[in-house]
């Protein structure tokens, strides 16, 4: 265990360096955000977190190493002021940071988002002095503190579905002198007691835009949120709410992913081989390989979201070299296999899952592979529709809670 002689001095030095590096990006070079980054002590909001080890364990699982001031002060402080997302909870289990243990595998369920993304979200929402804002997903409270520093605590409401997370965040916020309105609430329903808001910003993702958020936004106000689904395709959208309660806006560029709102998380579907045994008919040659939506590229990230809009209830998993698509709502399934030269697909059930995805990919290619910012999302009583001048209209799930 190593202890620096003056930890607060080190924290200030690291914080200033982080703020300078982040705000060198012209999109984030607003003096007010630079001052917020220089002022808010992130280390106060992350007393402990997990970092992934460089190597996986013998079962291929991620090894999550606990990091805290007591375990290794220098590593903890350096990580706190790195532009990195810090995982603070896995599988909903609250860690005991006095005696933390190494975790093997597990899904992150709470985190402190990387500071550059936090600032980008607030900046992309076009937040300004005089605005009243609702933040969905308090998390550690760090992003809430940045908003308070920028607008003043009285203008900020932040909600969190996890009571313990909110209690911890509230303590850190108050210790740092910030007093926003905080509440345990499900982001799906916003927070009526403080409505209506000039801006709503979500630090989690939704399958569709929750109607309550539209109703809680002032006319001319904006909602910034991330849309995702069970294929884990993501898109950010900035919506402007009209007098009649409808909303419209463009998708934003870039690749950003957030944890799903807990009520929108994908359901378990069981053993994929059980679904495969019900497939009938001969396989056919697939017009597109699954790599079109699984590759680690910005385009594949975008295309997966478009594909997901065509099969909103489908999930995908790979076992060995076989790709499985499973739809727990309709009972449909598909498998894709390769012989090294091409892919073959077998489909069953009322929805031809891969065929629907292929139609989207065909249209996307024919339109010249348009970028996210060329798409518009409109939300009204007729549903939520993603539009592009050269593509068929794609619809999001009819009910955001579905």
């Amino acid at each position: 265990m190593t202890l620096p002689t003056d930890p607060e001095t080190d924290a200030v030095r690291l914080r200033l360096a982080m703020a300078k590096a982040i705000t060198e990006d012209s999109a984030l070079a607003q003096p007010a955000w630079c001052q917020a980054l220089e002022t808010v002590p992130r280390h106060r909001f992350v007393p402990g977190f997990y970092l992934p080890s460089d190597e996986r364990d013998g079962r291929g699982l991620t090894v999550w190493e606990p990091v805290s001031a007591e375990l290794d002060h220098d590593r903890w402080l350096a990580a706190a002021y790195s532009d990195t997302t810090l995982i603070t909870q896995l599988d909903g289990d609250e860690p005991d940071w006095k005696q933390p243990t190494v975790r093997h595998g597990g899904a992150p369920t709470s985190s402190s988002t990387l500071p550059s993304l936090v600032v980008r979200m607030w900046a992309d929402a076009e937040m300004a002095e005089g605005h009243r804002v609702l933040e969905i997903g308090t998390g550690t409270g760090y992003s809430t503190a940045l908003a308070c520093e920028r607008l003043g605590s009285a203008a900020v409401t932040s909600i969190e579905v996890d009571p313990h997370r909110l209690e911890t965040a509230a303590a850190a916020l108050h210790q740092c002198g910030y007093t926003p309105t905080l509440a345990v609430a499900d982001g799906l329903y916003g927070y009526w007691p403080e409505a209506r808001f000039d801006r709503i910003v979500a630090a989690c993702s939704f399958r569709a835009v929750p109607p309550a958020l539209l109703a809680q936004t002032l006319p001319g106000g904006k909602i910034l949120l991330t849309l995702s689904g069970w294929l884990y395709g993501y898109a950010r959208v900035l919506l402007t709410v009209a007098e009649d309660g409808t909303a419209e806006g463009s998708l934003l560029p870039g690749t950003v992913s957030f944890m799903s709102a807990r009520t929108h998380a994908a359901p378990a579907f069981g053993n994929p081989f059980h679904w495969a045994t019900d497939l009938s008919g001969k396989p056919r040659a697939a017009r597109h390989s699954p790599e079109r939506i699984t590759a680690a590229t910005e385009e594949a990230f975008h295309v997966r979201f478009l594909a997901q809009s065509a099969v909103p209830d489908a999930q995908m998993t790979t076992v060995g070299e076989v790709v499985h698509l499973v739809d727990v709502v309709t009972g449909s399934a598909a498998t894709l296999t390769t012989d090294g030269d091409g892919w073959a697909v077998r489909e069953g059930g009322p929805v031809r899952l891969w065929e629907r995805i292929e139609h989207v990919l065909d249209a996307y290619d024919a339109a010249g592979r348009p970028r996210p910012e060329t798409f518009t999302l409109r939300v009204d009583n007729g549903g939520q529709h993603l539009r592009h001048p050269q593509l068929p209209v794609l619809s999001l799930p009819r009910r955001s809670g579905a």
Side-chain angles (χ1 to χ4, degrees):
M1 181 172 65
T2 58
L3 292 174
T5 54
D6 191 350
E8 288 304 315
T9 297
D10 283 349
V12 171
R13 174 178 57 80
L14 291 169
R15 185 159 67 247
L16 293 176
M18 181 187 75
K20 180 180 179 182
I22 291 173
T23 54
E24 282 178 349
D25 181 344
S26 59
L28 302 177
Q30 299 178 24
W33 286 122
C34 184
Q35 180 181 351
L37 286 167
E38 291 175 346
T39 303
V40 177
R42 191 188 188 201
H43 68 287
R44 301 281 184 87
F45 295 88
V46 286
F49 46 84
Y50 294 102
L51 293 178
S53 173
D54 293 335
E55 297 182 0
R56 293 177 177 267
D57 69 9
R59 295 175 293 168
L61 300 175
T62 300
V63 178
W64 296 100
E65 299 177 344
V67 179
S68 67
E70 289 74 18
L71 291 172
D72 187 333
H73 189 282
D74 289 347
R75 186 187 187 194
W76 166 74
L77 196 60
Y81 288 106
S82 63
D83 192 26
T84 305
T85 293
L86 304 174
I87 304 302
T88 54
Q89 187 188 75
L90 294 163
D91 298 326
D93 297 332
E94 196 59 41
D96 178 3
W97 290 113
K98 294 181 180 179
Q99 294 181 314
T101 58
V102 173
R103 294 285 296 263
H104 292 256
T109 48
S110 189
S111 66
S112 175
T113 302
L114 64 160
S116 62
L117 177 54
V118 173
V119 174
R120 182 174 296 279
M121 291 286 287
W122 289 125
D124 284 346
E126 301 172 6
M127 196 169 74
E129 285 81 359
H131 284 163
R132 295 181 65 253
V133 304
L134 170 65
E135 176 190 39
I136 298 173
T138 312
T140 65
Y142 175 68
S143 60
T144 316
L146 290 173
C148 291
E149 188 65 36
R150 176 76 167 82
L151 299 178
S153 295
V156 179
T157 297
S158 185
I159 60 176
E160 169 62 48
V161 72
D162 185 324
H164 185 84
R165 291 280 93 196
L166 189 70
E167 181 181 358
T168 303
L173 285 161
H174 293 159
Q175 287 170 6
C176 293
Y178 302 113
T179 56
T181 298
L182 301 173
V184 176
D186 188 334
L188 187 65
Y189 305 104
Y191 197 61
W192 281 105
E194 294 293 318
R196 293 197 284 171
F197 302 97
D198 297 284
R199 296 290 186 271
I200 296 179
V201 176
C204 60
S205 64
F206 295 98
R207 296 187 71 203
V209 181
L213 302 189
L214 299 181
Q216 292 177 29
T217 303
L218 289 164
K222 298 180 185 292
I223 301 171
L224 179 67
L225 50 73
T226 301
L227 299 169
S228 70
W230 296 347
L231 286 183
Y232 299 104
Y234 295 87
R236 283 195 310 152
V237 63
L238 180 63
L239 296 167
T240 300
V241 178
E243 288 276 359
D244 61 3
T246 63
E248 190 168 339
S250 299
L251 301 189
L252 300 181
T255 57
V256 171
S257 61
F258 278 105
M259 299 171 195
S260 296
R262 297 191 184 184
T263 47
H264 282 195
F269 58 79
N271 187 331
F273 289 109
H274 293 169
W275 296 80
T277 59
D278 293 331
L279 299 181
S280 59
K282 294 181 180 180
R284 65 170 177 84
R287 297 197 304 277
H288 298 278
S289 83
E291 282 98 340
R292 287 294 305 273
I293 62 175
T294 60
T297 65
E298 185 171 335
E299 182 183 54
F301 191 93
H302 169 50
V303 173
R304 187 186 297 207
F305 176 74
L306 301 181
Q308 174 182 276
S309 299
V311 288
D313 300 317
Q315 299 182 62
M316 183 169 58
T317 187
T318 301
V319 181
E321 296 183 354
V322 180
V323 177
H324 297 264
L325 285 156
V326 171
D327 181 339
V328 299
V329 175
T330 67
S332 304
T335 61
L336 292 112
T337 56
T338 181
D339 59 6
D341 295 324
W343 288 84
V345 59
R346 296 174 66 228
E347 299 182 272
V351 178
R352 293 297 187 258
L353 299 174
W354 192 248
E355 184 176 328
R356 282 197 179 183
I357 290 176
E358 287 179 321
H359 287 321
V360 171
L361 292 173
D362 289 341
Y364 172 75
D365 290 343
R369 301 187 174 187
R371 293 182 56 79
E373 55 269 32
T374 62
F375 288 80
T376 299
L377 179 68
R378 178 169 176 79
V379 184
D380 55 32
N381 289 334
Q384 304 191 17
H385 303 296
L386 191 63
R387 303 176 187 273
H388 187 277
Q390 297 172 274
L391 289 169
V393 174
L394 295 171
S395 299
L396 273 62
R398 180 69 180 182
R399 292 177 294 125
S400 63

